[in-house]
Amino acid sequence: MNTDKRGFGFEKLVVLFEQTQSELQKQAARLVDIALVIRNWLFGWYIVEFENGGAERAELYGKKLLQCLSAELKQAGLKGVSLTNLKQFRLFYETYKEIGQAVPDQSSIDTTN
């Protein structure tokens, strides 16, 4: 059966679908990876900024800030915010502070609340 009305046959149509699906899945995975790197860096930045200032700092620091934060975030339904992960976010930020130059939306996030 020849369905070649636009310059390619049915097999080519199937291949185009497969190639498009494969390439777009790869792009989506890369975008998710990039978004997670930015999220993790920002979470680390938030922690460090909070630890370095603010009236609540001394109060929460003595009460194990990261443990309290982890519990509160989990209760709010966030995933991936274990005590270990929060420590890793902070370490990631402290190790790669220069990433902030590549995170343009960082300055638009209101951290005053």
Side-chain angles (χ1 to χ4, degrees), residues 3 17 36 42 61 71 75 78 91 96 111-113:
T3 58
F17 271 76
L36 288 174
L42 284 170
Y61 196 75
Q75 188 174 5
L78 272 72
L91 179 61
Y96 298 102
T111 59
T112 59
N113 295 336

Side-chain angles (χ1 to χ4, degrees), residues 3-52:
T3 58
D4 189 1
K5 296 185 180 185
R6 298 204 180 219
F8 56 86
F10 182 77
E11 291 80 19
K12 176 70 174 178
L13 178 64
V14 171
V15 168
L16 286 171
F17 271 76
E18 291 170 344
Q19 289 174 340
T20 300
Q21 176 70 18
S22 176
E23 184 57 34
L24 291 176
Q25 277 184 322
K26 289 177 194 174
Q27 288 181 21
R30 282 189 296 262
L31 290 173
V32 167
D33 288 345
I34 291 168
L36 288 174
V37 167
I38 292 169
R39 181 207 67 172
N40 295 348
W41 186 91
L42 284 170
F43 281 4
W45 180 67
Y46 299 155
I47 292 166
V48 169
E49 286 295 308
F50 185 84
E51 288 175 336
N52 289 337

